[in-house]
Amino acid sequence: YKVMKTIGYQLTVTSPTRGSSAGLASSLVVATASYIGIPVSTTQCIVGAVSGVGLVEGKTNVQWWQLAKVCVSWIVIFFVSVLLSAGLFCLCAYSPSLAT
C-alpha cells in the first residue's frame, strides 16, 4: 500500500492516462526482459516509467527528493538483505550439531 501510494501520489501527479501509459511501458520492458532472460524488478520498472511520464511536462513535475529517497531505499535494502542472508547462513552452517 505504501509503495503504491508513494509511486502514485508523491512521485508525480498521475492521471488515468499517465498511469496507463506508465503501466504499458513498464509491462513491455518486463516482458521484453523476460523474453531475453534478463532479471528485472517490476517495482523499479514502474518507478522509472512513472518518472518518465512525469518528465514529459518538464523537470519540475517530478518530485526529485522523493525519487532520491526511493533509490536510496533500494540500495539500503540490498545491503540489509545481504547481511541478513549471510548471518542466517552462518547461523545454520556453523552452529554446533547434536550428532557426534
Side-chain angles (χ1 to χ4, degrees), residues 15 26 40 42 60 62 66 70 79 86 90 94:
S15 65
S26 65
V40 293
T42 55
T60 59
V62 176
Q66 192 67 31
V70 168
F79 287 111
C90 288
Y94 299 115

Side-chain angles (χ1 to χ4, degrees), residues 95-100:
S95 63
S97 65
L98 295 175
T100 55

Side-chain angles (χ1 to χ4, degrees), residues 5-96:
K5 182 179 175 184
T6 300
I7 293 171
Y9 295 114
Q10 296 175 357
L11 192 58
T12 187
V13 177
T14 307
S15 65
T17 54
R18 287 182 183 180
S20 62
S21 297
L24 178 64
S26 65
S27 64
L28 288 174
V29 168
V30 171
T32 304
S34 296
Y35 179 75
I36 296 172
I38 302 170
V40 293
S41 169
T42 55
T43 305
Q44 290 175 349
C45 287
I46 194 69
V47 167
V50 169
S51 300
V53 168
L55 279 173
V56 169
E57 286 192 13
K59 294 179 186 177
T60 59
N61 198 28
V62 176
Q63 300 295 322
W64 295 103
W65 181 247
Q66 192 67 31
L67 183 62
K69 287 191 323 187
V70 168
C71 293
V72 167
S73 70
W74 288 335
I75 295 168
V76 169
I77 288 296
F78 173 75
F79 287 111
V80 167
S81 64
V82 165
L83 291 174
L84 260 158
S85 62
L88 186 61
F89 174 78
C90 288
L91 180 71
C92 294
Y94 299 115
S95 63

